[in-house]
Amino acid sequence: MKVIKLAITLLSRLQAAINNDNGDGGKLSSFAPTITPAPTTATNPTALPYSTTVDGSTDISSRNPTAYASPPTVLTHPRRNDDDNKLDILDFTPHLDDDEPHSVLPDHIVHERVNLVANYTNGIRTFACYNGAEAIRYAHSIGLYTVAGAWVDTRTDKATEEMDCIINLAREGVVDLASIGSEVLTWSGLSAEEIVEYIAWFRQMVPNVKVTTAVKYEAMMDVKNQEIIIPAVDVLYINYYPYWSGYHISLALAVHKAEHAEMKAIAGDKEVWISETGWPSEGSCWNGYAEPSPDNQERFLREVFNWTRSENVVLTWFDGFEQPWKNGNEWCNVAAHWGIFDRHGVIKAGPARVLEVE
């Protein structure tokens, strides 16, 4: 761990040395932005919407997370073929330019868009169940690996609906891995104890389906979160973003690899998968030394893809389609531009070169 931390420190110092090499006369700001999460509509609940879990307790603060340790069964993986350049898993929201954001699209539209991305990936991951269930069903039917998401936050009524949805979906036999919550420890107001309660609820109801939660690397560096989350999940599912840390593209892969090594060091016998990583192709400004551009998106995708293939790391790439309704929601207006497909569903030139299809 000391060696890994030293490596990250040295990379940070190298980052500073790049300041006069960025073609801007050394005027780049070196700060990383503070991002304000979207407001929620309810305060943090005092109890989850069910009475007991596997240890029979009702007081969240007194529950022992080791009671929810995952059973010793085999974790399945996305298939890989040596003769293709497909991603392992692609983060997937089916909406394009003319669609109402977050809406439930007609099944035939969802099927068309899953077919579109299936040319470039061996699996998909959804973020919410209410508008992602049909994508999971159809992806499973055509042989893709499925990571089904349930969106949970402090709105317990909505969280209950999502949990009911993903439990029923998993009981259909179409879910390879359930992911309960996305970055909830960072943005959604839930504690590690609370997200583990949702995981335990799912495990009680569908014990034969593997389950995890997607957590930012920075959040998993907290020792308390490590002690609670790691025993509760079947695989550690981590978001890494060298772009948001403000690193120059020339250092981004080295930072990513060093952070992943840290996660492997704390994970014990659990596998560590990448739940999100990516680079925006457009933006109105640099984030520290990180420039959003088509060339940098292509370079980062190529480097991460080659590294994860060579080291047998399961990669989930963010994102599938551009999401134009997000413009203005993130620093430098990059929120709409993480996709490997544009807002009309056309593969971008850079990702197409990396993930070339015969």
Side-chain angles (χ1 to χ4, degrees):
M1 289 290 289
K2 290 182 179 178
V3 173
I4 295 169
K5 290 179 179 178
L6 176 60
I8 292 178
T9 300
L10 292 173
L11 286 168
S12 298
R13 292 177 180 175
L14 282 172
Q15 174 76 76
I18 295 174
N19 187 32
N20 294 322
D21 250 345
N22 286 325
D24 71 336
K27 297 177 182 178
L28 283 177
S29 167
S30 62
F31 66 87
T34 300
I35 306 167
T36 303
T40 56
T41 58
T43 57
N44 197 31
T46 57
L48 294 175
Y50 48 92
S51 57
T52 60
T53 53
V54 291
D55 63 351
S57 62
T58 55
D59 180 6
I60 292 173
S61 64
S62 69
R63 290 174 182 163
N64 179 4
T66 60
Y68 315 122
S70 53
T73 53
V74 176
L75 175 71
T76 61
H77 295 72
R79 71 178 189 275
R80 280 183 178 174
N81 299 316
D82 293 336
D83 58 350
D84 73 37
N85 281 348
K86 291 186 177 182
L87 295 163
D88 293 321
I89 305 167
L90 182 64
D91 286 315
F92 179 80
T93 302
H95 302 79
L96 293 178
D97 195 27
D98 295 329
D99 299 321
E100 181 67 24
H102 314 300
S103 61
V104 179
L105 298 177
D107 288 356
H108 73 279
I109 297 294
V110 173
H111 298 174
E112 288 175 3
R113 291 171 189 173
V114 172
N115 284 332
L116 183 59
V117 303
N119 293 314
Y120 301 93
T121 185
N122 290 316
I124 65 167
R125 171 202 174 203
T126 56
F127 291 88
C129 190
Y130 79 94
N131 65 357
E134 185 57 29
I136 293 296
R137 290 188 187 99
Y138 183 71
H140 176 81
S141 77
I142 63 172
L144 295 184
Y145 191 89
T146 56
V147 182
W151 191 269
V152 297
D153 54 30
T154 56
R155 298 168 299 174
T156 55
D157 55 340
K158 297 296 185 182
T160 301
E161 292 174 3
E162 281 288 289
M163 291 300 298
D164 287 343
C165 178
I166 198 168
I167 287 167
N168 289 326
L169 186 66
R171 285 174 168 172
E172 295 178 24
V174 299
V175 175
D176 291 303
L177 177 67
S179 182
I180 312 298
S182 179
E183 297 187 345
V184 294
L185 301 181
T186 304
W187 306 125
S188 298
L190 298 184
S191 67
E193 292 91 345
E194 287 169 324
I195 192 60
V196 163
E197 290 296 312
Y198 282 115
I199 291 170
W201 182 9
F202 178 87
R203 196 184 296 286
Q204 282 185 299
M205 304 303 292
V206 199
N208 62 324
V209 175
K210 295 297 187 180
V211 61
T212 189
T213 184
V215 184
K216 289 191 71 175
Y217 157 80
E218 291 82 0
M220 278 307 298
M221 290 302 293
D222 183 286
V223 174
K224 180 183 177 182
N225 289 341
Q226 295 171 17
E227 292 173 345
I228 295 170
I229 296 292
I230 293 173
V233 298
D234 292 299
V235 58
L236 205 55
Y237 210 28
I238 303 297
N239 293 5
Y240 305 92
Y241 282 106
Y243 173 84
W244 282 125
S245 297
Y247 284 99
H248 190 271
I249 188 63
S250 63
L251 299 177
L253 178 64
V255 170
H256 197 326
K257 292 169 70 173
E259 291 177 348
H260 189 72
E262 285 189 283
M263 293 295 97
K264 289 180 67 176
I266 67 172
D269 61 354
K270 301 288 175 73
E271 292 187 37
V272 183
W273 292 9
I274 298 168
S275 51
E276 292 180 32
T277 195
W279 200 279
S281 61
E282 295 181 44
S284 60
C285 61
W286 294 37
N287 176 45
Y289 301 102
E291 178 188 12
S293 73
D295 287 347
N296 284 350
Q297 184 182 61
E298 178 180 0
R299 174 176 174 175
F300 190 61
L301 173 58
R302 187 183 307 279
E303 291 180 347
V304 171
F305 181 85
N306 290 339
W307 160 57
T308 53
R309 276 293 179 105
S310 65
E311 298 294 329
N312 200 29
V313 177
V314 176
L315 168 63
T316 310
W317 182 265
F318 185 85
D319 199 3
F321 300 124
E322 288 202 343
Q323 301 178 44
W325 57 89
K326 285 186 176 180
N327 260 338
N329 289 356
E330 289 179 343
W331 180 259
C332 294
N333 295 316
V334 299
H337 304 296
W338 294 84
I340 63 171
F341 291 84
D342 69 16
R343 62 199 296 169
H344 306 294
V346 178
I347 187 77
K348 295 177 183 176
R353 285 188 287 268
V354 178
L355 308 173
E356 55 185 333
V357 175
E358 296 295 334

